[in-house]
Amino acid sequence: MHAGSSNRLKRLVAAFAALLVALVLVPSQAQALTTEKATARPNEDGGSGVIGGIPTRLTWEGVVEDGESITSVTLTLPNGASFDNSTTKVTVLDNLTRIPNDATATPSGNTIAVKLSDPAKAGYKLRLEIEDMTFPSEGGDVVVNGSYESAGKTQELAPSKPIATIANTWLQQMVSFLDAQPWVQAWNSNQFLGMFLKPQLILTSLFSLFPGWLVCLGIVVVAYPFAILLGLVFALMKLSKFRVVRAIAVVYINVLRGTPLFLQIYIMFFGLPMMNINIDNNVLGVIVMAINSSAYLAEIFRAGIESIPTGQYEAAASLGMGRLMTMVNIILPQTVRRVIPTVTSDFIMAFKDTSLLSSVGVMELMMFSKNLTSVTGNMTPYVTAAIFYLIVTLPLIKVVTIIEKRIARSERGGGPRPKAKVADAKQDDEQTPAEPEGAEATLASALSAPFRAGTSVFGGVADVR
Amino acid sequence: MFDKAKAKVEARREAHRVPPALDAEQAASEAHERDKGLTKHHFEPHEHPCVRIEHLMKTFDGETQVLTDVNLTVWPGEVVCVLGPSGSGKSTMLRCINLLETPTAGHILIEDKEITGHLVTKEVNKLRQNLGMVFQSFNLFPNLTAKGNVMIGQTKVLKKSKAEAEAEALKQLDAVGLLDRADFKPAQLSGGQQQRVAIARAVAMHPDILLFDEPTSALDPELVRGVLDVMRDLAENGGMTMIVVTHEMGFAREVADRVVFMEGGVVVEQGTPEMVFDNPQNPRTAQFLGSIG
């Protein structure tokens, strides 16, 4: 224990000493060639990153210090990088004047040696543009090292600032693969296909838009239960017998339904911070969506409740049920069945409306695709965003249709019948109605069918949006 | 603002206040005297009527006068059939009895207790438990099975246990001949079956009085008989007090203790079925019965 800690102390002291030596030594080493710049051109399709393993251009600039004359420069990159097959353009500048120079570049693996025909004098700037070189495929920060020859002496170059590179993932390899395919090139040469349905961009957008899609779903899925609760409260308030309560509900519903969601978003996102109320963007998005949807849901629920025939209230009343008991036990259960299709439609609306949140910087699907499109100048990310929206909405649209059919069928008595309990039931002179062909009901008949066979001929609830 | 509302309530109460003349004992003997020859009901000594309607008036929206001056007494166990052309106010009178409509003026007394004008919601609910109602359009709860329809009033209003309510429901469904349809939804039942479930639902609450509002009018002719059979069984074997608004002359003649003919918001004639059907005193009654055949 004791020995261990003293060991560590020794190591610390050693490290400190090494640091001191380094600090003293480094400035004393006179640099004759200072690296000014080392950058790489982005080669990410639809991005600004530098990807390893894919050809790009490395630009390196150095300035010759006083009393030196440089005859050759050698640049070295970490293992995995390659200068093979690269072509190098060498420029020697005296301020803004170009000094003619016949330079030769000899690439070999991860090093490249550049020999100048005339030595570069003090104050000259040396620029190397190495085309078609590749960085290591594993990515990471890459530092350019090297050496130079000045008056016959070889000296080390100070390391450059690191260049951030991205690993060459399987996705990048797929993109490179697609880039090389003749059919892709042919496809993209069509102006429409290349602009809206570029295969490489579809592939990359699918991955880069995914987080935005999750945010959209998250916002609406979290917001909706609150919206349903709020909506039910305001629906019941609107049906209240007290005028003041009714008025509050009417104002709430009409203001929210009568103004654009876009405006509501602006008011909330810019208004609250001005009152020094700072809420996380996503949370605020949930709040805005919940409040907005609640107004529409309130109207849907109100219409649903009002579509229940008076006879139901009277029947409940004649059993001695109070208002609340009737609402909870008789009216609401029937309302729920009736409003499910409309509520689902509203959910679809709300999900699509999350796109408006992009205008205030919520990082959702629309925001991601907008960014990607502005970087690539291609419409494909928008088309991919459309695909993401459709993944959610199309099945829901189908679900609405199925539920509507099912409700229509069950209310008309076409559903599966429970088995009769008493086998020797006494013969009825009444016949139960024949089973309708409910399964193949059209949308129109499905909408008109609820409660058709029953006592009341009330249609479904109209979509109030 | 509140003063105004208070005054309004006060005025309404005033309109319905039972005058001292309506002393229960005296009224009972007067009604007894009046109804003696008009019903097949066997009067007990000192019997009090279970429904007493005095000068009942009902206007809708302050202009349409549906009931002008209805006076009617119904005795315990009596079956009263109310006849009359449409628009004569039969249904409105019936709905006034369990306060589905609020009477504009006049008095309704259920078992000598005034119900008009001054009841709070709780009292109204309590009153309605005691008055079963069967509607023309059945009004079954479509989201519940036949059994569920019969059970819900017992579990929610009478606070019976589920098992108890279920046993009662099955018993009542059996009584109307629908035990085998207990698990069917209303939409899977015919109109006649639905109405029989509705009757079972009302009877399961064990009310003192059953009100029938044209129970067979919405049914196909061949389905009417089943419903009438159930009602006849209730009247003859159940000993239930029933007020039946109907157009079924055969049923009225056969089952009713008394037939009441209404016209223009007043009772124009009442008496035993034989009196009204065979020897109507009022020309309007005669004309109506003649037209129906």
Side-chain angles (χ1 to χ4, degrees):
Chain A
M1 175 80 196
H2 184 76
S5 69
S6 78
N7 232 347
R8 196 180 303 159
L9 195 72
K10 267 185 209 161
R11 241 183 285 159
L12 256 176
V13 171
F16 187 66
L19 192 70
L20 268 182
V21 170
L23 279 173
V24 173
L25 283 185
V26 167
S28 71
Q29 243 179 9
Q31 287 294 314
L33 183 60
T34 318
T35 305
E36 274 219 324
K37 179 183 169 190
T39 56
R41 188 181 55 189
N43 60 352
E44 186 186 19
D45 198 17
S48 55
V50 179
I51 301 161
I54 297 176
T56 183
R57 184 182 65 192
L58 174 68
T59 306
W60 180 93
E61 284 177 9
V63 174
V64 183
E65 299 293 328
D66 289 344
E68 300 281 351
S69 71
I70 308 292
T71 50
S72 79
V73 177
T74 306
L75 297 183
T76 310
L77 286 177
N79 277 336
S82 167
F83 287 110
D84 295 336
N85 305 322
S86 69
T87 51
T88 308
K89 188 179 155 204
V90 181
T91 317
V92 182
L93 290 170
D94 181 10
N95 283 328
L96 290 175
T97 338
R98 180 192 279 259
I99 311 294
N101 202 317
D102 276 336
T104 50
T106 324
S108 134
N110 58 344
T111 58
I112 188 163
V114 176
K115 221 174 176 63
L116 301 173
S117 56
D118 299 309
K121 290 187 206 128
Y124 281 16
K125 184 185 265 182
L126 202 57
R127 181 189 293 155
L128 308 181
E129 288 163 292
I130 309 161
E131 202 73 58
D132 287 335
M133 53 73 64
T134 55
F135 284 99
S137 356
E138 59 266 22
D141 287 346
V142 174
V143 174
V144 182
N145 284 304
S147 60
Y148 63 91
E149 218 171 300
S150 170
K153 279 197 292 178
T154 305
Q155 295 200 28
E156 289 292 306
L157 263 177
S160 72
K161 279 186 189 151
I163 302 168
T165 66
I166 301 168
N168 190 11
T169 56
W170 65 268
L171 183 63
Q172 287 302 337
Q173 285 159 13
M174 286 280 288
V175 171
S176 326
F177 170 79
L178 283 176
D179 279 335
Q181 298 305 303
W183 71 266
V184 175
Q185 287 156 12
W187 175 282
N188 289 341
S189 66
N190 177 302
Q191 205 183 5
F192 171 77
L193 296 177
M195 180 52 76
F196 290 95
L197 295 164
K198 192 176 174 187
Q200 297 96 313
L201 261 179
I202 291 179
L203 190 66
T204 47
S205 325
L206 277 177
F207 286 89
S208 46
L209 297 189
F210 185 71
W213 183 67
L214 287 185
V215 169
C216 277
L217 263 184
I219 286 177
V220 79
V221 164
V222 175
Y224 224 68
F226 292 107
I228 287 176
L229 265 180
L230 261 180
L232 193 57
V233 167
F234 279 100
L236 292 176
M237 281 174 71
K238 198 172 173 181
L239 294 169
S240 164
K241 55 182 173 183
F242 301 109
R243 199 190 300 170
V244 179
V245 178
R246 249 181 0 241
I248 293 171
V250 166
V251 168
Y252 177 87
I253 292 169
N254 286 357
V255 166
L256 283 169
R257 294 208 320 154
T259 53
L261 174 58
F262 201 49
L263 179 76
Q264 293 162 20
I265 289 173
Y266 266 47
I267 288 176
M268 290 288 270
F269 274 78
F270 298 132
L272 290 185
M274 286 192 185
M275 289 166 58
N276 280 327
I277 303 169
N278 290 303
I279 304 175
D280 175 74
N281 260 4
N282 290 339
V283 176
L284 195 52
V286 166
I287 294 172
V288 177
M289 292 308 296
I291 290 176
N292 181 264
S293 275
S294 73
Y296 289 96
L297 287 174
E299 276 301 275
I300 292 172
F301 292 148
R302 184 203 46 82
I305 290 169
E306 284 186 342
S307 79
I308 305 295
T310 344
Q312 294 292 313
Y313 292 91
E314 290 182 351
S318 73
L319 289 175
M321 290 192 181
R323 275 175 68 92
L324 185 68
M325 202 187 273
T326 305
M327 197 44 92
V328 172
N329 292 299
I330 307 295
I331 306 303
L332 287 184
Q334 294 184 49
T335 308
V336 167
R337 289 168 63 90
R338 287 187 182 203
V339 299
I340 282 176
T342 334
V343 169
T344 315
S345 302
D346 186 78
F347 180 87
I348 294 171
M349 285 285 185
F351 174 67
K352 290 187 295 179
D353 282 348
T354 54
S355 60
L356 293 174
L357 292 171
S358 67
S359 61
V360 286
V362 175
M363 291 305 291
E364 47 68 78
L365 187 49
M366 192 63 204
M367 187 72 160
F368 273 93
S369 54
K370 201 159 66 180
N371 290 348
L372 206 49
T373 291
S374 58
V375 168
T376 58
N378 192 295
M379 288 291 127
T380 309
Y382 284 149
V383 175
T384 317
I387 295 171
F388 270 115
Y389 282 115
L390 289 173
I391 286 173
V392 175
T393 54
L394 284 187
L396 282 179
I397 291 170
K398 183 72 185 158
V399 163
V400 171
T401 323
I402 291 172
I403 293 174
E404 275 170 351
K405 274 185 193 166
R406 186 170 297 172
I407 288 179
R409 208 175 355 159
S410 73
E411 308 253 337
R412 283 156 67 195
R417 284 155 186 258
K419 272 190 183 157
K421 265 196 179 159
V422 183
D424 56 344
K426 87 173 170 194
Q427 191 61 41
D428 253 79
D429 51 355
E430 305 169 11
Q431 293 301 311
T432 43
E435 292 196 29
E437 314 296 324
E440 302 305 321
T442 61
L443 187 63
S445 75
L447 281 170
S448 65
F451 293 79
R452 185 186 286 165
T455 61
S456 43
V457 193
F458 279 74
V461 184
D463 192 338
V464 290
R465 191 168 284 211
Chain B
M1 183 178 135
F2 288 110
D3 288 346
K4 222 170 144 188
K6 253 185 197 165
K8 217 167 133 189
V9 169
E10 207 46 55
R12 221 178 72 178
R13 286 194 174 164
E14 197 53 50
H16 290 286
R17 186 144 292 150
V18 190
L22 283 177
D23 169 65
E25 209 57 50
Q26 191 192 340
S29 63
E30 274 174 22
H32 188 166
E33 215 46 50
R34 191 172 63 228
D35 290 348
K36 225 170 20 184
L38 300 175
T39 172
K40 291 189 200 167
H41 176 68
H42 300 291
F43 289 99
E44 309 280 331
H46 305 297
E47 193 176 33
H48 282 214
C50 60
V51 180
R52 198 140 61 86
I53 302 173
E54 309 259 351
H55 306 297
L56 180 64
M57 203 251 275
K58 171 72 186 172
T59 51
F60 284 109
D61 308 327
E63 24 190 277
T64 328
Q65 185 152 23
V66 182
L67 300 178
T68 346
D69 184 10
V70 176
N71 293 285
L72 185 67
T73 329
V74 180
W75 302 88
E78 196 183 14
V79 178
V80 175
C81 281
V82 184
L83 308 180
S86 33
S88 58
K90 318 179 291 283
S91 289
T92 308
M93 181 199 72
L94 202 68
R95 291 163 62 84
C96 280
I97 294 175
N98 72 351
L99 296 179
L100 285 180
E101 304 289 355
T102 316
T104 313
H107 312 283
I108 298 173
L109 293 93
I110 308 282
E111 274 141 17
D112 288 330
K113 195 170 169 285
E114 166 94 46
I115 63 161
T116 31
H118 65 285
L119 292 190
V120 296
T121 321
K122 243 186 186 164
E123 293 173 300
V124 172
N125 292 340
K126 193 84 190 148
L127 164 82
R128 284 171 176 161
Q129 288 174 37
N130 212 16
L131 296 166
M133 176 113 178
V134 176
F135 298 87
Q136 178 177 359
S137 49
F138 330 136
N139 293 352
L140 289 184
F141 306 129
N143 54 326
L144 301 175
T145 59
K147 191 171 74 186
N149 267 280
V150 183
M151 281 170 67
I152 192 156
Q154 304 179 61
T155 52
K156 300 293 174 190
V157 180
L158 302 181
K159 310 284 179 205
K160 281 194 198 171
S161 76
K162 222 173 161 193
E164 236 179 316
E166 187 170 3
E168 176 70 28
L170 293 176
K171 189 180 128 198
Q172 295 303 341
L173 284 173
D174 192 26
V176 298
L178 288 174
L179 189 56
D180 57 325
R181 298 282 189 270
D183 292 323
F184 282 41
K185 289 277 178 71
Q188 297 167 311
L189 299 171
S190 73
Q193 291 171 334
Q194 288 190 48
Q195 192 60 295
R196 279 146 65 190
V197 173
I199 294 172
R201 178 174 70 178
V203 172
M205 300 293 287
H206 294 291
D208 290 339
I209 304 159
L210 269 181
L211 309 172
F212 291 85
D213 186 5
E214 306 200 27
T216 56
S217 296
L219 297 178
D220 291 340
E222 69 265 28
L223 303 183
V224 169
R225 214 184 72 202
V227 174
L228 291 183
D229 284 345
V230 168
M231 290 168 62
R232 181 180 293 114
D233 185 58
L234 271 175
E236 287 168 359
N237 306 325
M240 189 78 80
T241 312
M242 289 162 62
I243 305 177
V244 186
V245 171
T246 184
H247 292 294
E248 295 293 333
M249 299 303 152
F251 175 82
R253 180 187 278 272
E254 203 184 324
V255 179
D257 290 321
R258 179 162 34 140
V259 172
V260 173
F261 185 79
M262 278 182 77
E263 161 82 65
V266 290
V267 175
V268 294
E269 184 163 4
Q270 52 177 314
T272 61
E274 288 76 19
M275 289 163 68
V276 176
F277 285 115
D278 300 337
N279 187 21
Q281 300 299 307
N282 190 298
R284 188 68 189 87
T285 316
Q287 189 200 347
F288 177 77
L289 294 175
S291 71
I292 284 201

mmCIF file with all atom_site columns, all heavy atoms in Angstrom, chain B residues 183-196:
data_model
loop_
_atom_site.group_PDB
_atom_site.id
_atom_site.type_symbol
_atom_site.label_atom_id
_atom_site.label_alt_id
_atom_site.label_comp_id
_atom_site.label_asym_id
_atom_site.label_entity_id
_atom_site.label_seq_id
_atom_site.pdbx_PDB_ins_code
_atom_site.Cartn_x
_atom_site.Cartn_y
_atom_site.Cartn_z
_atom_site.occupancy
_atom_site.B_iso_or_equiv
_atom_site.pdbx_formal_charge
_atom_site.auth_seq_id
_atom_site.auth_comp_id
_atom_site.auth_asym_id
_atom_site.auth_atom_id
_atom_site.pdbx_PDB_model_num
ATOM 1   N N   . ASP B 1 183 ? -76.090 -12.849 -23.440 1.00 0.00 ? 183 ASP B N   1
ATOM 2   C CA  . ASP B 1 183 ? -74.786 -12.305 -23.809 1.00 0.00 ? 183 ASP B CA  1
ATOM 3   C C   . ASP B 1 183 ? -74.792 -11.614 -25.164 1.00 0.00 ? 183 ASP B C   1
ATOM 4   O O   . ASP B 1 183 ? -73.740 -11.319 -25.722 1.00 0.00 ? 183 ASP B O   1
ATOM 5   C CB  . ASP B 1 183 ? -73.734 -13.426 -23.794 1.00 0.00 ? 183 ASP B CB  1
ATOM 6   C CG  . ASP B 1 183 ? -73.495 -13.916 -22.372 1.00 0.00 ? 183 ASP B CG  1
ATOM 7   O OD1 . ASP B 1 183 ? -73.523 -13.062 -21.464 1.00 0.00 ? 183 ASP B OD1 1
ATOM 8   O OD2 . ASP B 1 183 ? -73.302 -15.128 -22.176 1.00 0.00 ? 183 ASP B OD2 1
ATOM 9   N N   . PHE B 1 184 ? -75.979 -11.349 -25.696 1.00 0.00 ? 184 PHE B N   1
ATOM 10  C CA  . PHE B 1 184 ? -76.058 -10.673 -26.991 1.00 0.00 ? 184 PHE B CA  1
ATOM 11  C C   . PHE B 1 184 ? -76.085 -9.171  -26.803 1.00 0.00 ? 184 PHE B C   1
ATOM 12  O O   . PHE B 1 184 ? -76.643 -8.661  -25.836 1.00 0.00 ? 184 PHE B O   1
ATOM 13  C CB  . PHE B 1 184 ? -77.335 -11.111 -27.734 1.00 0.00 ? 184 PHE B CB  1
ATOM 14  C CG  . PHE B 1 184 ? -77.229 -12.459 -28.386 1.00 0.00 ? 184 PHE B CG  1
ATOM 15  C CD1 . PHE B 1 184 ? -76.599 -13.515 -27.747 1.00 0.00 ? 184 PHE B CD1 1
ATOM 16  C CD2 . PHE B 1 184 ? -77.770 -12.681 -29.645 1.00 0.00 ? 184 PHE B CD2 1
ATOM 17  C CE1 . PHE B 1 184 ? -76.506 -14.756 -28.334 1.00 0.00 ? 184 PHE B CE1 1
ATOM 18  C CE2 . PHE B 1 184 ? -77.678 -13.930 -30.252 1.00 0.00 ? 184 PHE B CE2 1
ATOM 19  C CZ  . PHE B 1 184 ? -77.051 -14.965 -29.590 1.00 0.00 ? 184 PHE B CZ  1
ATOM 20  N N   . LYS B 1 185 ? -75.465 -8.485  -27.751 1.00 0.00 ? 185 LYS B N   1
ATOM 21  C CA  . LYS B 1 185 ? -75.549 -7.019  -27.744 1.00 0.00 ? 185 LYS B CA  1
ATOM 22  C C   . LYS B 1 185 ? -76.901 -6.613  -28.337 1.00 0.00 ? 185 LYS B C   1
ATOM 23  O O   . LYS B 1 185 ? -77.466 -7.351  -29.152 1.00 0.00 ? 185 LYS B O   1
ATOM 24  C CB  . LYS B 1 185 ? -74.426 -6.430  -28.607 1.00 0.00 ? 185 LYS B CB  1
ATOM 25  C CG  . LYS B 1 185 ? -73.032 -6.572  -27.996 1.00 0.00 ? 185 LYS B CG  1
ATOM 26  C CD  . LYS B 1 185 ? -72.754 -5.462  -27.008 1.00 0.00 ? 185 LYS B CD  1
ATOM 27  C CE  . LYS B 1 185 ? -71.407 -5.584  -26.352 1.00 0.00 ? 185 LYS B CE  1
ATOM 28  N NZ  . LYS B 1 185 ? -70.298 -5.299  -27.251 1.00 0.00 ? 185 LYS B NZ  1
ATOM 29  N N   . PRO B 1 186 ? -77.423 -5.468  -27.952 1.00 0.00 ? 186 PRO B N   1
ATOM 30  C CA  . PRO B 1 186 ? -78.731 -5.036  -28.476 1.00 0.00 ? 186 PRO B CA  1
ATOM 31  C C   . PRO B 1 186 ? -78.801 -5.102  -30.002 1.00 0.00 ? 186 PRO B C   1
ATOM 32  O O   . PRO B 1 186 ? -79.827 -5.487  -30.549 1.00 0.00 ? 186 PRO B O   1
ATOM 33  C CB  . PRO B 1 186 ? -78.834 -3.598  -27.985 1.00 0.00 ? 186 PRO B CB  1
ATOM 34  C CG  . PRO B 1 186 ? -78.062 -3.585  -26.725 1.00 0.00 ? 186 PRO B CG  1
ATOM 35  C CD  . PRO B 1 186 ? -76.925 -4.548  -26.925 1.00 0.00 ? 186 PRO B CD  1
ATOM 36  N N   . ALA B 1 187 ? -77.699 -4.747  -30.676 1.00 0.00 ? 187 ALA B N   1
ATOM 37  C CA  . ALA B 1 187 ? -77.735 -4.733  -32.132 1.00 0.00 ? 187 ALA B CA  1
ATOM 38  C C   . ALA B 1 187 ? -77.941 -6.122  -32.708 1.00 0.00 ? 187 ALA B C   1
ATOM 39  O O   . ALA B 1 187 ? -78.331 -6.276  -33.862 1.00 0.00 ? 187 ALA B O   1
ATOM 40  C CB  . ALA B 1 187 ? -76.442 -4.129  -32.672 1.00 0.00 ? 187 ALA B CB  1
ATOM 41  N N   . GLN B 1 188 ? -77.655 -7.156  -31.873 1.00 0.00 ? 188 GLN B N   1
ATOM 42  C CA  . GLN B 1 188 ? -77.815 -8.521  -32.364 1.00 0.00 ? 188 GLN B CA  1
ATOM 43  C C   . GLN B 1 188 ? -79.205 -9.069  -32.051 1.00 0.00 ? 188 GLN B C   1
ATOM 44  O O   . GLN B 1 188 ? -79.492 -10.227 -32.326 1.00 0.00 ? 188 GLN B O   1
ATOM 45  C CB  . GLN B 1 188 ? -76.762 -9.431  -31.706 1.00 0.00 ? 188 GLN B CB  1
ATOM 46  C CG  . GLN B 1 188 ? -75.350 -9.033  -32.059 1.00 0.00 ? 188 GLN B CG  1
ATOM 47  C CD  . GLN B 1 188 ? -74.326 -9.716  -31.165 1.00 0.00 ? 188 GLN B CD  1
ATOM 48  O OE1 . GLN B 1 188 ? -74.459 -9.719  -29.950 1.00 0.00 ? 188 GLN B OE1 1
ATOM 49  N NE2 . GLN B 1 188 ? -73.314 -10.288 -31.773 1.00 0.00 ? 188 GLN B NE2 1
ATOM 50  N N   . LEU B 1 189 ? -80.042 -8.220  -31.447 1.00 0.00 ? 189 LEU B N   1
ATOM 51  C CA  . LEU B 1 189 ? -81.383 -8.666  -31.081 1.00 0.00 ? 189 LEU B CA  1
ATOM 52  C C   . LEU B 1 189 ? -82.414 -7.990  -31.980 1.00 0.00 ? 189 LEU B C   1
ATOM 53  O O   . LEU B 1 189 ? -82.201 -6.891  -32.484 1.00 0.00 ? 189 LEU B O   1
ATOM 54  C CB  . LEU B 1 189 ? -81.673 -8.294  -29.624 1.00 0.00 ? 189 LEU B CB  1
ATOM 55  C CG  . LEU B 1 189 ? -80.743 -8.899  -28.567 1.00 0.00 ? 189 LEU B CG  1
ATOM 56  C CD1 . LEU B 1 189 ? -81.016 -8.278  -27.211 1.00 0.00 ? 189 LEU B CD1 1
ATOM 57  C CD2 . LEU B 1 189 ? -80.909 -10.405 -28.502 1.00 0.00 ? 189 LEU B CD2 1
ATOM 58  N N   . SER B 1 190 ? -83.542 -8.637  -32.142 1.00 0.00 ? 190 SER B N   1
ATOM 59  C CA  . SER B 1 190 ? -84.626 -8.023  -32.901 1.00 0.00 ? 190 SER B CA  1
ATOM 60  C C   . SER B 1 190 ? -85.282 -6.951  -32.045 1.00 0.00 ? 190 SER B C   1
ATOM 61  O O   . SER B 1 190 ? -85.045 -6.871  -30.836 1.00 0.00 ? 190 SER B O   1
ATOM 62  C CB  . SER B 1 190 ? -85.665 -9.087  -33.271 1.00 0.00 ? 190 SER B CB  1
ATOM 63  O OG  . SER B 1 190 ? -86.396 -9.440  -32.120 1.00 0.00 ? 190 SER B OG  1
ATOM 64  N N   . GLY B 1 191 ? -86.108 -6.126  -32.672 1.00 0.00 ? 191 GLY B N   1
ATOM 65  C CA  . GLY B 1 191 ? -86.770 -5.053  -31.937 1.00 0.00 ? 191 GLY B CA  1
ATOM 66  C C   . GLY B 1 191 ? -87.576 -5.573  -30.765 1.00 0.00 ? 191 GLY B C   1
ATOM 67  O O   . GLY B 1 191 ? -87.508 -5.041  -29.653 1.00 0.00 ? 191 GLY B O   1
ATOM 68  N N   . GLY B 1 192 ? -88.305 -6.645  -31.003 1.00 0.00 ? 192 GLY B N   1
ATOM 69  C CA  . GLY B 1 192 ? -89.139 -7.195  -29.938 1.00 0.00 ? 192 GLY B CA  1
ATOM 70  C C   . GLY B 1 192 ? -88.300 -7.702  -28.784 1.00 0.00 ? 192 GLY B C   1
ATOM 71  O O   . GLY B 1 192 ? -88.630 -7.497  -27.609 1.00 0.00 ? 192 GLY B O   1
ATOM 72  N N   . GLN B 1 193 ? -87.176 -8.353  -29.144 1.00 0.00 ? 193 GLN B N   1
ATOM 73  C CA  . GLN B 1 193 ? -86.289 -8.848  -28.085 1.00 0.00 ? 193 GLN B CA  1
ATOM 74  C C   . GLN B 1 193 ? -85.684 -7.691  -27.311 1.00 0.00 ? 193 GLN B C   1
ATOM 75  O O   . GLN B 1 193 ? -85.566 -7.737  -26.089 1.00 0.00 ? 193 GLN B O   1
ATOM 76  C CB  . GLN B 1 193 ? -85.191 -9.720  -28.709 1.00 0.00 ? 193 GLN B CB  1
ATOM 77  C CG  . GLN B 1 193 ? -85.735 -11.033 -29.249 1.00 0.00 ? 193 GLN B CG  1
ATOM 78  C CD  . GLN B 1 193 ? -84.692 -11.789 -30.048 1.00 0.00 ? 193 GLN B CD  1
ATOM 79  O OE1 . GLN B 1 193 ? -83.768 -11.201 -30.599 1.00 0.00 ? 193 GLN B OE1 1
ATOM 80  N NE2 . GLN B 1 193 ? -84.855 -13.098 -30.126 1.00 0.00 ? 193 GLN B NE2 1
ATOM 81  N N   . GLN B 1 194 ? -85.326 -6.622  -28.054 1.00 0.00 ? 194 GLN B N   1
ATOM 82  C CA  . GLN B 1 194 ? -84.755 -5.461  -27.375 1.00 0.00 ? 194 GLN B CA  1
ATOM 83  C C   . GLN B 1 194 ? -85.753 -4.876  -26.379 1.00 0.00 ? 194 GLN B C   1
ATOM 84  O O   . GLN B 1 194 ? -85.406 -4.515  -25.265 1.00 0.00 ? 194 GLN B O   1
ATOM 85  C CB  . GLN B 1 194 ? -84.366 -4.388  -28.398 1.00 0.00 ? 194 GLN B CB  1
ATOM 86  C CG  . GLN B 1 194 ? -83.146 -4.752  -29.228 1.00 0.00 ? 194 GLN B CG  1
ATOM 87  C CD  . GLN B 1 194 ? -82.653 -3.565  -30.043 1.00 0.00 ? 194 GLN B CD  1
ATOM 88  O OE1 . GLN B 1 194 ? -82.501 -2.473  -29.534 1.00 0.00 ? 194 GLN B OE1 1
ATOM 89  N NE2 . GLN B 1 194 ? -82.396 -3.787  -31.319 1.00 0.00 ? 194 GLN B NE2 1
ATOM 90  N N   . GLN B 1 195 ? -87.008 -4.792  -26.811 1.00 0.00 ? 195 GLN B N   1
ATOM 91  C CA  . GLN B 1 195 ? -88.001 -4.195  -25.921 1.00 0.00 ? 195 GLN B CA  1
ATOM 92  C C   . GLN B 1 195 ? -88.218 -5.072  -24.699 1.00 0.00 ? 195 GLN B C   1
ATOM 93  O O   . GLN B 1 195 ? -88.424 -4.567  -23.599 1.00 0.00 ? 195 GLN B O   1
ATOM 94  C CB  . GLN B 1 195 ? -89.320 -3.974  -26.694 1.00 0.00 ? 195 GLN B CB  1
ATOM 95  C CG  . GLN B 1 195 ? -90.325 -3.110  -25.972 1.00 0.00 ? 195 GLN B CG  1
ATOM 96  C CD  . GLN B 1 195 ? -89.814 -1.710  -25.676 1.00 0.00 ? 195 GLN B CD  1
ATOM 97  O OE1 . GLN B 1 195 ? -88.869 -1.526  -24.918 1.00 0.00 ? 195 GLN B OE1 1
ATOM 98  N NE2 . GLN B 1 195 ? -90.430 -0.716  -26.282 1.00 0.00 ? 195 GLN B NE2 1
ATOM 99  N N   . ARG B 1 196 ? -88.126 -6.385  -24.889 1.00 0.00 ? 196 ARG B N   1
ATOM 100 C CA  . ARG B 1 196 ? -88.298 -7.270  -23.744 1.00 0.00 ? 196 ARG B CA  1
ATOM 101 C C   . ARG B 1 196 ? -87.128 -7.125  -22.773 1.00 0.00 ? 196 ARG B C   1
ATOM 102 O O   . ARG B 1 196 ? -87.305 -7.175  -21.556 1.00 0.00 ? 196 ARG B O   1
ATOM 103 C CB  . ARG B 1 196 ? -88.453 -8.710  -24.209 1.00 0.00 ? 196 ARG B CB  1
ATOM 104 C CG  . ARG B 1 196 ? -89.897 -8.994  -24.660 1.00 0.00 ? 196 ARG B CG  1
ATOM 105 C CD  . ARG B 1 196 ? -89.990 -9.966  -25.788 1.00 0.00 ? 196 ARG B CD  1
ATOM 106 N NE  . ARG B 1 196 ? -89.519 -11.303 -25.442 1.00 0.00 ? 196 ARG B NE  1
ATOM 107 C CZ  . ARG B 1 196 ? -89.336 -12.281 -26.329 1.00 0.00 ? 196 ARG B CZ  1
ATOM 108 N NH1 . ARG B 1 196 ? -89.611 -12.055 -27.611 1.00 0.00 ? 196 ARG B NH1 1
ATOM 109 N NH2 . ARG B 1 196 ? -88.895 -13.443 -25.954 1.00 0.00 ? 196 ARG B NH2 1
#
